[in-house]
Amino acid sequence: MSRISYVNGRYVNHHEAMVHVEDRGYQFADGIYEYVAFYNGMLLDGDLHFDRLERSLYELQMHMPMSRAALEIVVEELIERNFKQDGGLYIQITRGVARRDHGFPKRVRPALVMTVCAPKLPKAHEVAAGVRVITQPDIRWGRRDIKSISLLANILAKQEAANAVAREAWLLEGKVVTEGSASNAYIVNKKGEVVTHPANEKILGGITRDVLLRLAQDNGIPVAEKAFTLAQVEDAAEAFLTSTSANVLPVVKVDDMIIGSSRPGPVTQKLNALYTQHILMQTGKQF
Ligand code: PMP
């Protein structure tokens, strides 16, 4: 079955899905994106992802290429045309196509492309045994809360992780762990509190993070949204990361530091169970 993508108003075969060389996303990384998981053809937390998409656009003084209701219809159609039950939806909006000039072009329509891919879930043994992450300096810009397509620093960090055969790179600003190159970072301290960086301009506020912190609070698991250091990681009982494609993934080693018992801990396992229950209730997908 051929893969279908959406490019500026048209559904096209994926290998013919192209944008103009003067798309400002291509030349300046002047755009934003979202990545949404879907199960049984239903977007997981679609409303929250669309809210974040609108916020990212607003922060860059960009506009929705179509109404949100229309976008939701196009998304549904695209998923149907790909004949996929489970997968990932990538949405990218750039400022549009214009003669290369740094300032915003006038009267240019934003460009919208969407692709659908197979689910990118962690492997069963990674969830069961936990993963290793390395640390890297956080060299990103000052507005990491915007889901910008400018991801060079994230890519370089992720590649360092791949070179070290680690699942992720946790980014360090001074001694503080901000987040992962493509995920949010957490520890569970010895008091049993889930600690994660506050959702301010220094991190991307993950949708998985938002949902998980709400689930934790609703289930009596204490949460502290405050920055934590590498020394606190070393002293932690548990660690984990979250993202749309990783769900809740236990972290058992950070650089050469073994976390807790070196096995996924009880709080992480409870949170993972709550999150998979959330997916089940919303989409019927069983993990
Ligand atoms: N931080 C960064 C830098 C990311 O790229 C991602 C994934 N896009 C996340 C956090 C997690 O966000 P979400 O839970 O919405 O996938």
Side-chain angles (χ1 to χ4, degrees):
M1 196 63 68
S2 63
R3 223 175 131 190
I4 304 295
S5 296
Y6 179 89
V7 184
N8 292 320
R10 293 168 56 231
Y11 299 92
V12 294
N13 277 324
H14 186 65
H15 62 271
E16 289 163 4
M18 311 213 178
V19 295
H20 194 275
V21 288
E22 284 194 317
D23 186 295
R24 288 179 62 96
Y26 182 61
Q27 291 192 327
F28 295 118
D30 184 8
I32 59 97
Y33 75 106
E34 271 301 319
Y35 179 76
V36 195
F38 59 88
Y39 300 106
N40 292 320
M42 277 171 272
L43 295 184
L44 180 68
D45 295 311
D47 283 349
L48 300 179
H49 282 276
F50 286 123
D51 287 349
R52 185 171 66 183
L53 178 110
E54 287 181 345
R55 179 180 179 279
S56 296
L57 288 173
Y58 174 81
E59 293 295 335
L60 296 181
Q61 300 166 54
M62 287 171 55
H63 303 286
M64 282 283 269
M66 61 179 76
S67 72
R68 180 156 161 170
L71 182 60
E72 283 170 4
I73 290 169
V74 176
V75 163
E76 203 173 309
E77 174 77 24
L78 184 66
I79 291 174
E80 270 177 30
R81 287 190 187 219
N82 278 279
F83 294 100
K84 268 202 184 337
Q85 286 295 297
D86 300 344
L89 167 75
Y90 177 79
I91 308 174
Q92 175 174 305
I93 301 173
T94 66
R95 204 177 301 276
V97 175
R99 186 181 298 238
R100 190 177 185 284
D101 185 21
H102 286 59
F104 297 171
K106 292 201 177 67
R107 288 179 295 280
V108 163
R109 284 165 56 93
L112 168 63
V113 304
M114 290 192 270
T115 55
V116 166
C117 63
K120 287 191 254 175
L121 292 163
K123 299 186 179 65
H125 73 86
E126 291 182 308
V127 182
V131 298
R132 185 170 82 87
V133 305
I134 60 162
T135 55
Q136 284 287 295
D138 196 341
I139 59 169
R140 297 175 299 164
W141 72 322
R143 290 302 307 276
R144 304 157 187 168
D145 56 313
I146 300 171
K147 203 163 166 60
S148 142
I149 58 172
S150 173
L151 290 171
L152 262 184
N154 307 62
I155 289 166
L156 292 174
K158 188 65 162 230
Q159 187 55 40
E160 287 300 322
N163 294 346
V165 200
R167 180 61 155 73
E168 175 60 302
W170 277 8
L171 304 176
L172 287 176
E173 197 162 68
K175 292 181 175 146
V176 164
V177 176
T178 51
E179 60 180 330
S181 76
S183 58
N184 290 115
Y186 309 73
I187 54 170
V188 181
N189 64 22
K190 292 204 169 114
K191 288 190 281 182
E193 277 173 340
V194 177
V195 185
T196 192
H197 198 286
N200 55 23
E201 295 181 355
K202 293 194 174 288
I203 67 161
L204 180 78
I207 302 301
T208 322
R209 177 188 180 283
D210 284 352
V211 171
L212 193 74
L213 294 188
R214 184 171 48 74
L215 290 171
Q217 271 151 353
D218 290 351
N219 287 275
I221 299 172
V223 170
E225 292 184 68
K226 56 182 188 212
F228 62 86
T229 63
L230 210 48
Q232 287 172 288
V233 173
E234 188 156 25
D235 194 41
E238 304 178 29
F240 63 93
L241 60 84
T242 67
S243 76
T244 298
S245 44
N247 291 338
V248 178
L249 191 57
V251 171
V252 292
K253 210 168 172 196
V254 178
D255 291 331
D256 289 325
M257 299 182 299
I258 290 171
I259 309 300
S261 65
S262 84
R263 306 276 310 155
V267 177
T268 306
Q269 281 171 327
K270 171 78 181 160
L271 289 169
N272 191 24
L274 289 170
Y275 193 69
T276 51
Q277 173 76 8
H278 167 76
I279 298 176
L280 176 68
M281 278 170 14
Q282 212 181 91
T283 67
K285 172 75 179 177
Q286 182 95 51
F287 274 92

